[in-house]
Amino acid sequence: MESARVRHQQYVRGQFRLTDVVETYLARIETQKYLNAFIQVYADEARERARELDERRAKGESLGALAGLVIAVKDNIVIKDHLTTCASHILDHFVAPYHATVVEKILQADGVIIGKTNLDEFAMGSSTENSYFGAVRNPVDPERVPGGSSGGSAVAVAAGMADLALGSDTGGSIRQPAAFCGVVGLKPTYGRVSRYGLVAYASSLDQIGPFGHTVEDVALLTRVIAGPDPRDSTTVPVEVPDYLKALNQSPLDLTIGIPREYYQEGLDPNIREAIQSVVDRLRKAGFTIRELHLPLTDYAIAAYYIVATAEASSNLARYDGVRYGYRAPQAEDLQEMYFRTRSEGFGTEVKRRIMLGTYVLSAGYYEAYYKKAQQVRRMIKDEFDAAFREVDVLITPTTPTPAFRLGEKLDDPLQMYLSDIYTVTVNLAGICALNLPIGETPEGLPIGMQLMGGMFRESDLFRLGHFIEKQLVGPVH
Ligand code: GLN
């Protein structure tokens, strides 16, 4: 697949018509319907916008950073006057009254939005099987999951149905599907990208981020969507660097850390070897590489699933049949209406989390669970801060295994939760991390490597990622 950056440049030079490209993508979406990557496709709108852009180009007007590119958006990010379902029955008729900030920015940069992608209901899951609209399939092997919860966005890019896509990452939902599908995905630093218009799952962990074929592509889209937003008070007023320019700088000044705890039992040997081989080549190329320890990693899954479910139980209280979305018919009184609406509207995994979250927040358990989890969270953050005083970038696996089979972990929530073991720490600490495809297993399943960086150090990840991609790994698809 061609890089979005290259395609943008070709478009600006007049090498293809966007109207043709949109037709190609729409045709691919049609022939790959079995992947179930999209919940809605905006065929007519995308055609119309492409026509306008082609005309503007013909007139010699100046074009934005995303001109010539087709973008897919996860269906938990709102687009004015369009459905935003979160892959839930409770919102399956909900029409958004405004644009998310990231959507506004994409439109201002002349991107064409082709549709909304499938996800685990309310972004809760690691396989995109928990969708009211059915499971998404991995294009590399349709009997396997694409990862989750942003599975539809990862698949849209991997299977050539969009140049770029947006996902959201609360505990790994961009990086894990990127790893399973063989694309690049970034979880930006907490506060780097506005969450205005992202349907909240766990507000202190959620962050919107991009998918693309190359590090450059992801840098390009990050540059467009990042920056402080007066409508999201958790965004941080720090300057957004010119990420594409940063790619030209040699990354040899960056010190690399290898946290031992990420390479223990449970890691697939093919993934271990692939990462080892990249690390060996980095050493040969002259990088300083240090081993270090992050012993609190063992507590991350427990802390994450307490904090995330606690916040989810509170955020999802708004779906009560009164204010948003679905309302159960035929209820005798208000109490019954609430009960039925939520019983019928939410799927199993969402209910499990609301119950767990309500439990850990309830009097008598709060101190033992929620408060403890918050303390552990702070300690994990401190541990990362200490590590980033020693090194600039940490290299870890993104996932313990390659893409698993559909249905394999559906009946075992704990196994499903453990597939996030290497990603949730990043969200607890608020730092940034990138998935980089670095090879394949003998069966041909993509292998991902994770680069973690300090707060607002996305440039470090892009510089090192770009170097590895260009100098060490080469195109893996
Ligand atoms: N799999 C994790 C969860 O279910 C992460 C989801 C996400 O990042 N949105 O909570």
Side-chain angles (χ1 to χ4, degrees):
M1 292 293 166
E2 244 167 351
S3 121
R5 172 114 196 262
V6 172
R7 293 185 63 79
H8 163 72
Q9 288 162 343
Q10 290 173 342
Y11 181 68
V12 173
R13 284 199 297 264
Q15 283 173 252
F16 62 84
R17 279 196 317 218
L18 193 48
T19 35
D20 297 337
V21 170
V22 165
E23 289 311 325
T24 306
Y25 284 131
L26 289 172
R28 284 189 197 148
I29 291 173
E30 197 51 40
T31 54
Q32 299 183 103
K33 259 200 159 139
Y34 64 95
L35 295 174
N36 204 17
F38 283 85
I39 292 178
Q40 300 149 71
V41 179
Y42 307 141
D44 294 340
E45 248 177 276
R47 286 185 176 117
E48 180 56 34
R49 233 177 113 74
R51 212 171 9 249
E52 278 167 26
L53 274 153
D54 284 347
E55 275 169 22
R56 279 178 46 201
R57 184 183 62 179
K59 285 193 212 138
E61 286 180 27
S62 76
L63 299 169
L66 298 178
L69 301 179
V70 171
I71 296 144
V73 174
K74 187 177 182 179
D75 200 18
N76 60 350
I77 297 172
V78 300
I79 302 184
K80 189 173 171 10
D81 301 330
H82 292 73
L83 287 173
T84 297
T85 70
C86 292
S88 182
H89 182 32
I90 213 152
L91 284 180
D92 59 358
H93 288 86
F94 174 71
V95 176
Y98 64 96
H99 279 322
T101 297
V102 290
V103 167
E104 247 166 31
K105 289 186 171 196
I106 286 175
L107 297 176
Q108 268 161 20
D110 291 332
V112 171
I113 296 178
I114 198 152
K116 290 289 213 70
T117 59
N118 206 346
L119 64 151
D120 283 302
E121 186 177 359
F122 284 102
M124 296 175 187
S126 313
S127 64
T128 317
E129 291 167 293
N130 302 332
S131 164
Y132 181 63
F133 303 102
V136 177
R137 291 170 182 272
N138 191 318
V140 180
D141 174 354
E143 293 311 313
R144 292 182 187 262
V145 303
S149 63
S150 315
S153 290
V155 171
V157 173
M161 300 185 279
D163 295 301
L164 297 162
L166 285 185
S168 66
D169 191 313
T170 305
S173 281
I174 292 175
R175 293 158 286 157
Q176 191 251 20
F180 281 9
C181 296
V183 294
V184 182
L186 173 79
K187 183 266 172 205
T189 306
Y190 189 78
R192 179 58 105 183
V193 176
S194 171
R195 290 181 296 113
Y196 182 75
L198 168 68
V199 178
Y201 157 19
S203 318
S204 77
L205 301 159
D206 298 340
Q207 195 64 192
I208 295 173
F211 289 91
H213 287 291
T214 66
V215 174
E216 266 189 347
D217 294 357
V218 163
L220 170 70
L221 186 52
T222 308
R223 170 94 169 136
V224 170
I225 61 173
D229 177 8
R231 290 177 296 192
D232 173 2
S233 61
T234 62
T235 53
V236 179
V238 290
E239 201 198 327
V240 181
D242 186 339
Y243 295 126
L244 290 171
K245 231 189 213 155
L247 296 180
N248 302 324
Q249 277 169 39
S250 157
L252 265 168
D253 58 307
L254 299 173
T255 306
I256 295 168
I258 309 289
R260 286 322 320 169
E261 288 74 10
Y262 285 76
Y263 296 85
Q264 288 165 358
E265 215 185 308
L267 175 59
D268 181 285
N270 294 308
I271 299 181
R272 182 192 302 274
E273 274 166 37
I275 294 179
Q276 189 57 51
S277 145
V278 170
V279 171
D280 289 345
R281 281 177 279 167
L282 284 168
R283 200 175 278 118
K284 278 204 197 102
F287 283 89
T288 309
I289 297 172
R290 286 205 201 124
E291 293 214 348
L292 49 88
H293 286 280
L294 294 170
L296 292 172
T297 306
D298 283 355
Y299 303 98
I301 285 279
Y304 170 81
Y305 277 97
I306 291 174
V307 174
T309 56
E311 292 187 25
S313 72
S314 162
N315 273 323
L316 272 59
R318 74 191 71 181
Y319 306 105
D320 56 5
V322 178
R323 284 169 285 191
Y324 302 91
Y326 177 74
R327 176 184 298 174
Q330 295 162 341
E332 295 283 312
D333 56 25
L334 183 65
Q335 208 61 31
E336 194 189 337
M337 192 280 285
Y338 288 153
F339 184 83
R340 284 190 175 217
T341 295
R342 290 169 65 84
S343 300
E344 293 162 20
F346 291 132
T348 313
E349 184 59 28
V350 175
K351 285 180 191 158
R352 179 165 23 240
R353 294 185 186 214
I354 292 173
M355 284 191 281
L356 186 59
T358 308
Y359 176 81
V360 300
L361 286 177
S362 54
Y365 296 107
Y366 178 93
E367 304 270 326
Y369 296 109
Y370 183 71
K371 196 168 161 209
K372 268 279 168 293
Q374 288 290 27
Q375 288 165 337
V376 171
R377 179 179 191 180
R378 161 55 60 178
M379 289 165 73
I380 288 175
K381 163 100 181 101
D382 291 345
E383 198 170 81
F384 271 113
D385 286 349
F388 286 118
R389 282 195 286 275
E390 304 287 315
V391 300
D392 299 297
V393 177
L394 295 167
I395 290 186
T396 77
T398 306
T399 58
T401 66
F404 44 88
R405 288 180 193 285
L406 285 156
E408 194 178 315
K409 302 194 182 194
L410 258 189
D411 300 327
D412 190 346
L414 196 59
Q415 276 309 310
M416 190 71 96
Y417 296 174
L418 284 171
S419 61
D420 304 323
I421 193 154
Y422 303 136
T423 50
V424 295
T425 47
V426 164
N427 303 70
L428 288 169
I431 58 175
C432 56
L434 180 89
N435 174 71
L436 193 65
I438 56 162
E440 289 174 355
T441 65
E443 296 161 282
L445 300 174
I447 294 178
M449 182 169 97
Q450 180 170 230
L451 304 180
M452 299 178 182
M455 303 287 290
F456 302 101
R457 302 306 294 263
E458 284 83 358
S459 289
D460 293 351
L461 306 184
F462 294 147
R463 280 162 65 209
L464 184 59
H466 183 67
F467 176 87
I468 297 173
E469 188 183 70
K470 289 274 176 285
Q471 309 292 327
L472 305 183
V473 180
V476 288
H477 45 253

